[in-house]
Amino acid sequence: MPRPARFRPALSRRARLGAATVAALVTGTAVFGIGQATAEHSIPRTDKEIPNLTQVQDKIKAYYGDTVTADGEHYASPRSNYAHQVRGIESKARGYLSKALVRHARAGKAKPAIVLDIDDTTLLTYNYELQVGFHFTEESQDKYLAHTDMDPVFGMDRLVNWAHDKGAEVFFLTGRKEAQRDWSVRNLKNVGYGVPLDRRHVYLKDKEHPPPYLPCGSTCSTIEYKSGTRKHIESLGYNIVANFGDQYSDLRGGAGDRTFKMPNPMYYLP
């Protein structure tokens, strides 16, 4: 979402369900549904190469362990396959960071840091996505964020707080727009991220006044914006030992020793 911050029309900033499945088709990855073959063509030649949208949504809900409250709110289950997969990634990250942070402490050089996206990396957008029927708009996102806190991605609050206690500086790097700063910081704080959340540690996308360290200015792609900001963080004397994101565009472009890809089948950000 803006989550560098993360389904609208295919050419929009967030390519939603339809484009996500198209991306799967283009790359030749498996798709859902009996009779829906793996695509070999960038433009499907028959309907059999296109996943059924309703079936895809049902698969997503099952993966997240869709739980509906009495007032109709949808939430992901901590016992879901999604939660299980996330915990496996967090376990690997904790094991890696345990060693990496010790090495940095002994070396006494650049201060170690971790960088994390917000949407579906540290805060879970599932409830919002179900409310809007997987159809993102900036207006609906603003309305939601202004009044509602998203839950933390299962266990990520504990991992982040632990890494900070072990000596890692924590930076949040999101594609959310600058106007959403107060809502984003409030949400992170309210759900248990006990780390500094000032402007030095939380980076949002400011198209109106882009920072001078981004040569692409207001026209940055996600990769340019995120990798350029990571390079800026390292120029401040930090070494990014780990970079977390739910989109590959969160992770590409360098500046970071290791990347951790969080699962997200709900949308695709190029």
Side-chain angles (χ1 to χ4, degrees), residues 74-92:
H74 290 258
Y75 292 94
S77 169
R79 295 181 294 276
S80 64
N81 287 337
Y82 166 76
H84 177 75
Q85 186 177 358
V86 165
R87 291 188 187 103
I89 296 168
E90 291 165 355
S91 177
K92 292 179 180 178

Side-chain angles (χ1 to χ4, degrees), residues 1-27 29 60 64 117 119-120 125 129 134 136 221-223 246-252 261-270:
M1 290 166 66
R3 202 344 225 59
R6 323 162 146 150
F7 299 3
R8 289 160 62 183
L11 295 180
S12 64
R13 179 179 50 77
R14 291 187 69 174
R16 315 300 287 185
L17 270 177
T21 53
V22 169
L25 293 170
V26 172
T27 56
T29 55
I60 290 174
Y64 281 93
D117 175 50
D119 290 308
D120 295 298
T125 73
E129 297 290 353
F134 299 104
F136 171 90
S221 67
T222 300
I223 294 175
D246 65 289
Q247 305 289 320
Y248 288 108
S249 54
D250 295 331
L251 308 174
R252 291 173 176 156
K261 172 67 170 62
M262 307 299 290
N264 181 5
M266 294 187 291
Y267 55 86
Y268 168 72
L269 284 169

Side-chain angles (χ1 to χ4, degrees), residues 130-175:
L130 268 291
Q131 275 198 18
V132 300
F134 299 104
H135 181 73
F136 171 90
T137 66
E138 289 193 0
E139 293 76 17
S140 67
Q141 188 193 42
D142 283 346
K143 182 178 179 181
Y144 189 95
L145 295 180
H147 304 290
T148 309
D149 284 338
M150 295 176 175
D151 290 334
V153 170
F154 297 111
M156 283 300 289
D157 52 337
R158 293 189 294 274
L159 177 66
V160 168
N161 293 340
W162 169 84
H164 184 256
D165 290 343
K166 293 296 182 181
E169 199 77 8
V170 176
F171 295 93
F172 295 92
L173 173 55
T174 176

Side-chain angles (χ1 to χ4, degrees), residues 152-198:
V153 170
F154 297 111
M156 283 300 289
D157 52 337
R158 293 189 294 274
L159 177 66
V160 168
N161 293 340
W162 169 84
H164 184 256
D165 290 343
K166 293 296 182 181
E169 199 77 8
V170 176
F171 295 93
F172 295 92
L173 173 55
T174 176
R176 290 185 181 186
K177 57 189 178 184
E178 178 62 34
Q180 296 171 332
R181 175 177 295 277
D182 289 346
W183 305 332
S184 302
V185 168
R186 179 210 69 215
N187 193 161
L188 290 166
K189 181 179 179 180
N190 285 351
V191 299
Y193 287 94
V195 297
L197 296 171
D198 55 29

